[in-house]
């Protein structure tokens, strides 16, 4: 009897190219102690056999083996169950069966396979902690169920057949095409180095997604059926990466320590030592660094990979990582690298990168250069400024990034990086490879449009021309999303909800309010404010305040106010940025208008980025607001008609806005609205 030894092989990190021998060694999860005999297996002379009383794990593992062998060879491989006799001379794949019982005990979740001249045997630690009436869901959707036999099949497909699951879904499954399987006899084993290895995408759960997209138009929402399909694809992808947990011998779910998103790999050991002083058992690190969906190229994959490697080396019991629902190119590289690091500690990042880029054929090097451009961008610009960006968003990193986007991204970044993808399109590619690269390019174009939309809004100021440019850019972004939603849909609803949560940061909703109209003038000037923590303003009729009354209110600090002497000093990227701080409570805002400042004709006040509920009054008359119904959420951007309430006989008009911020999401004080006037074409037709 031969013992099965698991080994971990470290491959030095390289910058270009990875030798095939090193890739093979890095992916190896075991050592074989007897000479391996090469053999050829024809798929039309092979049969998959499962026991009559096969477990749910073995049944599903047989389905997966059959499905992938057909993908590799182009020929279906039959599955026989129970007493059905296989054809004489057929090569047998026994799933859920061991050749003999004299094998060492199985470790938790361990999977083994043994190859010889007449058969291959797959077996492992199969224990169901959470039963499910659907045997496929029982195996895939419950990470606490141990599925060693399934992991043995995946390890076989990975090592022996060259199958890679670089992203969820059929498009992310990549396999070589051969007429016969080239196998080498021997015994192999895979077992986890961590008791808990999980990637979670809670935004794909219908309970969360239905709330997330409540404020989106119906045609932008994901249906419950589509959400379930995408959630299943992600769960299945996690299983194929050999992710899961064994709580019986591992950590409790209550032992997850939330780790700051801005942590560096060098700080992991220090953080673990701090946690161990109070924890009774080795903690599980909970990361949320990949859940911050921005819609922009981030380049965080090496940082995420190194975090997992550092945590594993430091001795954590597990890693639980929350990720964004966007699983398409190129965002999925970070998820793939993290999954490989969790399942195969010791794998080099260059190996993961090479595997991820291989599906692009002759353009693989160009895609790699694109990814490295943005990785350098993360390391040089974004990661060092993490604390400052978070401060600019009041602790919300995404909001802070959107608010200061032009400081960390430029149009040149997008133009320089896309040149690599255009170079890839000039190479000789198969139709499938070209389609992958074109989809990659579409996502880049979307990111560039998103950047321009945010930048144009951030820098528009009080210029009517700049506001018109921002409206046009936001409309182009909306049109692009409408035309290519099927290619962007993985994370688009969550991204659009994120933009809305951050104050309609791309202006797509705001731009719709200028239909047949244009921004004429921004009512910046000097606004006054008065907090109303006791909600006394309505009974005291603050909405009908006169010009003299609002002069007694406090002045609203503006981001455009001249900086103080301290604020004029340049601050390092790691220092928090100073911003005007306003209380998060019911607040009234007011300013005066001169009747002559209101143009003739149909005039609207257009608000953007309003937190919570708002009501707008002119001279004590309610113009409207964004009050939600029981079926809707408050609109972040909205408009009210102004001209009918203007009292021409009054020299001074008083505009009052009552804002009641919600308790959830980032707080954004009232921003000066724009006056909207009809476009010349509409005005001429009136």
């Amino acid at each position: 009897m031969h013992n099965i030894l698991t080994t971990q092989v470290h491959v030095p990190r390289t910058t270009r190219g990875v030798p095939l021998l090193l890739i093979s060694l890095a992916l190896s999860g075991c050592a074989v102690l007897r000479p391996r005999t090469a053999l050829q297996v024809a798929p039309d002379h092979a049969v998959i056999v499962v026991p009559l009383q096969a477990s749910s794990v073995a049944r599903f593992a047989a389905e997966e083996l059959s499905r992938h062998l057909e993908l590799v060879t182009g020929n279906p491989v039959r599955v026989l169950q129970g007493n059905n006799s296989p054809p004489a001379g057929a090569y047998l794949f026994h799933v859920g069966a061991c050749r003999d019982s004299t094998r060492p005990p199985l470790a938790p979740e361990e999977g083994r396979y043994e190859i010889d001249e007449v058969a291959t045997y797959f077996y492992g630690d199969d224990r169901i902690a959470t039963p499910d009436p659907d045997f496929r869901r029982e195996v895939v959707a419950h990470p606490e169920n141990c599925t060693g036999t399934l992991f043995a099949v995946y390890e076989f497909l990975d090592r022996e057949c060259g199958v890679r699951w670089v992203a969820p879904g059929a498009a992310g499954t990549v396999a070589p095409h051969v007429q016969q399987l080239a196998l080498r006899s021997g015994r192999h084993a895979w077992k986890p180095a961590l008791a808990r290895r999980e990637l979670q995408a809670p935004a794909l759960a219908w309970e969360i997604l239905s709330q997330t997209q409540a404020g989106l138009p119906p045609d932008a929402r994901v249906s419950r059926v589509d959400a379930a399909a995408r959630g299943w694809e992600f769960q299945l992808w996690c299983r194929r990466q050999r992710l899961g947990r064994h709580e019986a011998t591992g950590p409790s779910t209550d032992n997850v320590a939330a780790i700051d998103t801005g942590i560096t790999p060098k700080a992991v050991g220090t953080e673990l030592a701090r946690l161990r002083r109070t924890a009774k058992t080795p903690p599980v690190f909970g990361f949320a660094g990949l859940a911050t969906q921005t819609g922009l190229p981030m380049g965080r994959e090496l940082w995420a990979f190194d975090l997992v490697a550092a945590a594993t080396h430091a001795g954590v019991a597990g890693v639980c990582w929350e990720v964004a629902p966007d699983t398409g190119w190129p965002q999925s590289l970070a998820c793939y690298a993290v999954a490989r690091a969790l399942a195969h500690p010791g794998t080099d990042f260059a190996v993961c990168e090479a595997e991820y880029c291989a599906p692009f054929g002759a353009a693989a090097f160009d895609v790699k250069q694109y990814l490295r451009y943005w990785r350098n961008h993360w390391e040089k610009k974004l990661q060092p400024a993490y604390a400052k960006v978070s401060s600019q968003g009041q602790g919300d990193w995404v909001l802070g990034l959107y608010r200061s986007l032009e400081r960390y991204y430029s149009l040149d970044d997008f133009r320089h990086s896309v040149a690599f993808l255009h170079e890839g399109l000039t190479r000789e590619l198969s139709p499938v490879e070209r389609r992958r690269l074109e989809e990659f390019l579409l996502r880049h174009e979307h990111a560039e449009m998103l950047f321009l939309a945010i930048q144009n809004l951030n820098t528009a100021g009080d210029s009517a021309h700049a506001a018109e440019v921002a409206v046009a850019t936001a409309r182009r972004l909306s049109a692009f999303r409408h035309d290519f939603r099927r290619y962007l849909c993985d994370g688009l609803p969550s991204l659009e909800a994120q933009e809305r949560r951050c104050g309609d940061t791309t202006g797509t909703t705001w731009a719709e309010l200028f239909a047949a109209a244009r921004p004429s003038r921004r009512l910046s000037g000097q606004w006054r404010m008065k907090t109303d923590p006791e909600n006394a303003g309505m009974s005291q009729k603050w909405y009908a305040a006169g010009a003299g009354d609002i002069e007694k209110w406090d002045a609203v600090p503006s981001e455009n106010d001249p900086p103080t002497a301290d604020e004029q000093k340049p601050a390092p990227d790691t220092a928090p940025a100073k911003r005007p701080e306003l209380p998060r409570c019911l607040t009234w805002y007011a300013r005066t208008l001169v009747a002559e400042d209101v143009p003739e004709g149909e005039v609207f006040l257009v608000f953007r980025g309003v937190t919570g509920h708002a009501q707008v009054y002119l001279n004590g008359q309610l113009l409207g607001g964004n009050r939600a119904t029981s079926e809707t959420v408050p609109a972040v951007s909205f408009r009210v008609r102004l001209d009918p309430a203007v009292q021409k006989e009054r020299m001074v008009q008083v505009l009052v806005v009552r804002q009641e911020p919600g308790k959830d999401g980032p707080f954004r004080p009232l921003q000066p609205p724009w006056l909207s006037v009809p476009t010349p074409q509409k005005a001429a037709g009136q």
Side-chain angles (χ1 to χ4, degrees):
M1 181 180 68
H2 299 282
N3 293 325
I4 300 176
L5 302 179
T6 59
T7 62
Q8 296 178 356
V9 182
H10 176 73
V11 184
R13 183 173 295 165
T14 59
T15 57
R16 289 188 59 180
V18 182
L20 293 178
L21 177 59
L22 293 184
I23 293 179
S24 176
L25 289 174
L27 293 178
S28 176
C30 63
V32 182
L33 298 185
R34 66 181 182 184
R36 304 183 68 189
T37 304
L39 58 138
Q40 299 290 321
V41 176
D44 53 348
H45 290 85
V47 175
I48 299 171
V49 181
V50 294
L52 180 62
Q53 301 297 328
S55 67
S56 59
V57 178
R59 291 163 61 194
F60 187 76
E63 290 183 355
E64 284 286 87
L65 180 61
S66 175
R67 182 180 299 111
H68 285 87
L69 290 182
E70 182 175 359
L71 178 66
V72 171
T73 65
N75 291 304
V77 179
R78 289 188 299 159
V79 178
L80 297 180
Q81 185 172 9
N83 297 325
N84 295 319
S85 299
Y91 188 88
L92 306 181
F93 292 101
H94 290 280
V95 180
C98 179
R99 182 163 48 186
D100 59 61
S101 58
T102 59
R103 292 286 181 260
L106 291 162
E109 295 187 273
E110 182 180 3
R112 300 175 185 171
Y113 66 92
E114 303 177 11
I115 302 174
D116 63 25
E117 291 77 5
V118 296
T120 296
Y121 296 83
F122 302 92
Y123 60 100
D125 176 40
D126 300 339
R127 289 176 289 123
I128 302 301
T130 306
D132 194 298
D134 185 329
F135 81 92
R136 295 180 180 88
R137 280 188 50 82
E138 182 175 83
V139 175
V140 174
H142 299 280
E144 67 278 8
N145 290 340
C146 294
T147 58
T149 298
L150 181 63
F151 289 163
V153 167
Y154 289 146
E155 189 72 7
F156 169 85
L157 293 170
D158 188 327
R159 285 174 46 87
E160 310 297 336
C161 302
V163 178
R164 297 291 182 271
W165 303 275
V166 296
T173 302
V174 183
H177 298 287
V178 298
Q179 293 183 342
Q180 291 188 329
L181 299 174
L183 306 180
R184 297 180 67 86
S185 62
R187 298 173 183 170
H188 310 268
W190 176 90
K191 61 181 178 181
L194 299 175
R196 184 170 184 178
R197 313 161 314 285
E198 287 189 79
L199 292 181
Q200 299 176 345
L204 289 176
W206 179 250
E207 295 76 10
I208 297 177
L209 182 60
S210 58
Q211 298 177 13
T212 299
Q213 59 185 10
L216 301 178
D219 62 345
R221 300 177 190 175
V222 175
S223 69
R224 187 166 190 164
V225 173
D226 289 343
R230 287 159 55 189
W232 170 262
E233 286 182 346
F234 180 79
Q235 291 172 329
L236 179 58
W237 179 81
C238 288
R239 276 306 196 195
R240 289 170 173 173
Q241 297 296 345
R242 277 133 286 177
L243 303 186
R245 65 176 185 261
H246 48 274
E247 300 296 357
T249 56
S252 166
T253 54
D254 298 330
N255 199 29
V256 178
I259 305 300
D260 180 46
T261 305
I263 195 172
T264 62
K266 292 182 179 179
V268 166
T270 303
E271 180 67 13
L272 179 61
R274 183 187 68 81
L275 293 171
R276 276 179 167 167
R277 287 194 289 268
T278 57
K280 296 181 180 179
T281 58
V284 174
F285 272 16
F287 294 105
L290 298 181
T292 51
Q293 187 175 4
T294 65
L296 299 162
M298 299 300 295
R300 296 176 292 186
E301 54 271 3
L302 180 57
W303 163 78
F305 180 90
D306 285 344
L307 278 181
V308 173
T312 304
H313 179 75
V316 298
V319 172
C320 181
W321 204 305
E322 185 176 329
V323 301
D326 190 354
T327 55
W329 318 101
Q331 288 83 352
S332 53
L333 173 56
C335 291
Y336 181 69
V338 166
R340 295 297 274 183
L342 288 173
H344 294 84
T347 299
D348 192 83
F349 177 79
V351 175
C352 299
E353 185 182 50
E355 292 172 347
Y356 184 84
C357 295
F360 295 94
F365 178 73
D366 305 295
V367 172
K368 190 181 300 183
Q369 292 298 98
Y370 174 92
L371 295 169
R372 290 181 177 181
Y373 181 95
W374 290 107
R375 194 178 309 144
N376 182 69
H377 183 267
W378 166 263
E379 294 172 353
K380 301 297 184 184
K381 290 187 177 181
L382 292 177
Q383 190 176 21
Y386 178 83
K388 182 175 182 178
V389 171
S390 295
S391 176
Q392 289 170 326
Q394 301 169 334
D396 188 313
W397 190 84
V398 177
L399 176 61
L401 181 64
Y402 285 163
R403 283 179 169 175
S404 55
L405 189 63
E406 55 276 6
R407 179 170 183 174
Y408 303 104
Y409 286 80
S410 71
L411 188 57
D412 285 343
D413 287 325
F414 291 91
R415 300 292 165 82
H416 290 159
S417 59
V418 78
F420 296 118
L421 302 184
H422 287 305
E423 181 67 21
L425 286 174
T426 66
R427 306 191 187 280
E428 187 174 346
L429 304 173
S430 71
V432 173
E433 293 165 349
R434 184 169 297 277
R435 186 164 59 249
R436 285 194 184 107
L437 189 56
E438 288 172 346
E439 181 181 335
F440 201 123
L441 187 59
L442 275 177
R443 288 174 174 269
H444 174 90
E445 291 176 4
H446 173 261
E448 181 178 327
M449 287 186 178
L450 184 145
F451 161 75
L452 288 173
I454 297 175
Q455 176 187 247
N456 289 343
L457 270 177
N458 286 353
T459 59
D462 295 339
S463 167
H465 173 71
E468 288 192 65
V469 172
V471 168
T473 308
R475 286 174 176 168
R476 284 197 296 270
L477 175 61
S478 294
F480 187 89
R481 287 175 171 176
H482 178 271
D483 293 341
F484 299 105
R485 182 166 290 272
R486 59 174 295 193
Y487 301 102
L488 306 170
C489 67
D490 274 354
L492 194 52
S494 296
L495 177 61
E496 290 171 321
Q498 173 95 294
E499 295 166 5
R500 179 187 176 281
R501 185 185 67 85
C502 291
D504 193 13
T505 187
T506 56
T508 51
T509 304
W510 176 73
E512 292 176 0
L513 302 174
F514 289 98
R518 60 180 177 83
S520 170
R521 175 191 167 198
R522 194 182 191 199
L523 297 183
S524 48
Q526 183 59 65
W527 284 76
R528 318 294 292 188
M529 61 173 284
K530 189 173 183 179
T531 58
D532 189 10
E534 303 299 328
N535 195 15
M538 290 299 294
S539 61
Q540 297 178 14
K541 298 184 178 181
W542 292 2
Y543 55 86
D549 297 324
I550 66 172
E551 285 299 319
K552 301 174 184 177
W553 294 10
D554 297 327
V556 176
S558 169
E559 297 177 20
N560 298 323
D561 287 343
T564 64
D566 289 338
E567 292 172 332
Q568 287 176 345
K569 298 177 182 179
D573 278 345
T574 54
K578 292 187 176 181
R579 294 179 61 88
E581 293 186 4
L582 296 178
R584 184 172 189 142
C585 67
L586 176 58
T587 304
W588 295 73
Y589 299 87
R591 63 155 292 163
T592 57
L593 280 175
V594 179
E596 288 74 13
D597 290 340
V598 180
E600 294 293 334
E602 190 178 79
V603 180
F604 287 88
L605 275 176
V606 182
F607 293 83
R608 183 180 72 87
V610 177
T611 302
H613 302 283
Q615 293 170 292
V616 185
Y617 300 84
L618 184 67
N619 302 323
Q621 178 181 340
L622 177 63
L623 304 182
N626 68 339
R627 175 66 63 177
T629 67
S630 58
E631 292 81 20
T632 62
V633 296
V636 176
S637 297
F638 69 98
R639 70 177 187 174
V640 294
R641 188 165 179 180
L642 179 67
D643 56 281
V646 175
Q647 299 176 7
K648 297 292 186 180
E649 68 278 5
R650 294 180 58 169
M651 181 177 296
V652 177
Q653 319 284 314
V654 180
L655 178 66
V656 178
V657 181
R658 178 182 184 269
Q659 183 185 16
E660 184 179 1
K663 297 181 180 179
D664 301 324
F667 172 60
R668 182 182 176 91
L670 186 74
Q671 303 298 300
W674 279 88
L675 288 176
S676 163
V677 298
T679 57
Q681 294 86 345
K682 181 177 181 181
Q686 287 181 336

